[in-house]
Amino acid sequence: MPITGLRAEWGRRLASAREAKGLSIGELARRTGVHKSHLARFELGEAGLGDEYRIRVAAEIGQRVEELFPYPDTSTCPSASSATAEESSAGKATDNQTNPPRRTSRPPAPSAAAQDGSDHEENLGHE
């Protein structure tokens, strides 16, 4: 389902649940902290609603987030299930063959003596 279809479905579900509870958009907005024009646009499928606000809205409506705003079942999507199967069958062996492990530590930095070309031990006593 495209994102616009998901938004429209969630908006319809919210409008129905809100009306069943006898709440106006303004009252739901006041109780949840979501601006009423944004809630109206969400119910029309014209705007999204972040996770935090979906949680607040669902709680105020008296439903679980997963019930009020369900995600589509991805098990029926052939491209999603085949991609998952391909990734799991490839495993880490493929990663190690194409991308050798990276070195996680850096070699020690050269000493100051090595950087300026002088060796303090050899110069001792020869001045």
Side-chain angles (χ1 to χ4, degrees):
M1 176 183 300
I3 192 94
T4 54
L6 184 61
R7 282 183 183 168
E9 174 64 23
W10 284 357
R12 284 189 295 272
R13 294 175 67 83
L14 175 58
S16 176
R18 177 183 57 75
E19 290 167 1
K21 287 289 267 188
L23 293 172
S24 68
I25 288 179
E27 182 60 20
L28 183 60
R30 187 187 68 73
R31 292 181 184 188
T32 60
V34 181
H35 196 277
K36 67 181 179 179
S37 65
H38 193 84
L39 276 177
R41 289 180 54 230
F42 179 75
E43 287 187 357
L44 293 172
E46 297 173 356
L49 197 60
D51 292 344
E52 178 182 343
Y53 292 112
R54 285 198 315 268
I55 292 168
R56 288 182 190 181
V57 166
E60 197 59 47
I61 295 293
Q63 292 187 24
R64 293 181 33 214
V65 176
E66 309 84 45
E67 294 168 353
L68 187 56
F69 306 118
Y71 280 95
D73 182 11
T74 57
S75 66
T76 60
C77 177
S79 60
S81 59
S82 64
T84 304
E86 288 172 12
E87 289 172 6
S88 60
S89 67
K92 291 190 176 190
T94 304
D95 287 342
N96 290 337
Q97 291 169 356
T98 58
N99 300 319
R102 295 182 185 179
R103 186 168 62 189
T104 57
S105 62
R106 295 182 180 197
S111 67
Q115 287 178 355
D116 68 9
S118 64
D119 189 346
H120 294 289
E121 289 182 30
E122 289 181 16
N123 291 334
L124 292 178
H126 294 336
E127 295 180 13

